[in-house]
Amino acid sequence: MPSDLPVSRSRAQAFDDLVLDAVERLERLWARELANVDFLVEDVPPIPPHGELSETIPFSRLETDPAGRARIIVYRRPVEIRTKDPEEMALLVHETVVEEVANLLGVEPESVDPES
């Protein structure tokens, strides 16, 4: 492939980049608080056991364990389905990550990233 052509990125890779951008921004503001947090991307949320379906499909999930580690998982397909263009998707990804970090820290989303 010629070096002057842009490298083709899959939709999944582009989505991963959006999550990484949101995480890096928040890690600059909350480095210590997010030191034990893993951020992951999965395509879709797991199907609940025993067929307990809810009315809405989540964009993300926060998991914590007794050792103090946390995982924030962002679901790619629900976000993609609910957005019309790359800018709207980037905004929804950022808002989703901010909301989960706020849940983890026990603060309002507005205080997690005041500039957003």
Side-chain angles (χ1 to χ4, degrees):
M1 179 178 297
S3 62
D4 60 335
L5 292 179
V7 176
S8 176
R9 308 266 307 147
S10 71
R11 286 186 354 205
Q13 291 169 323
F15 189 87
D16 290 349
D17 289 344
L18 293 175
V19 173
L20 184 60
D21 289 346
V23 170
E24 287 176 345
R25 177 179 170 131
L26 294 180
E27 283 180 334
R28 287 192 296 270
L29 300 169
W30 300 91
R32 188 180 44 151
E33 292 84 355
L34 298 179
N36 289 321
V37 180
D38 295 322
F39 292 87
L40 304 148
V41 173
E42 292 182 5
D43 284 338
V44 294
I47 297 173
H50 312 295
E52 300 168 11
L53 298 176
S54 72
E55 294 287 321
T56 61
I57 298 173
F59 296 139
S60 60
R61 180 176 79 233
L62 169 63
E63 298 176 344
T64 57
D65 68 24
R69 292 223 41 104
R71 292 173 17 144
I72 293 175
I73 303 157
V74 181
Y75 300 115
R76 181 176 64 87
R77 293 295 296 141
V79 172
E80 285 179 338
I81 289 168
R82 288 181 180 87
T83 56
K84 297 179 188 103
D85 56 52
E87 293 80 23
E88 187 180 11
M89 188 180 309
L91 180 61
L92 184 55
V93 165
H94 181 74
E95 289 173 352
T96 299
V97 172
V98 166
E99 185 174 309
E100 291 297 0
V101 168
N103 289 337
L104 176 67
L105 300 177
V107 298
E108 292 298 317
E110 297 78 26
S111 65
V112 171
D113 189 0
E115 295 179 16
S116 65

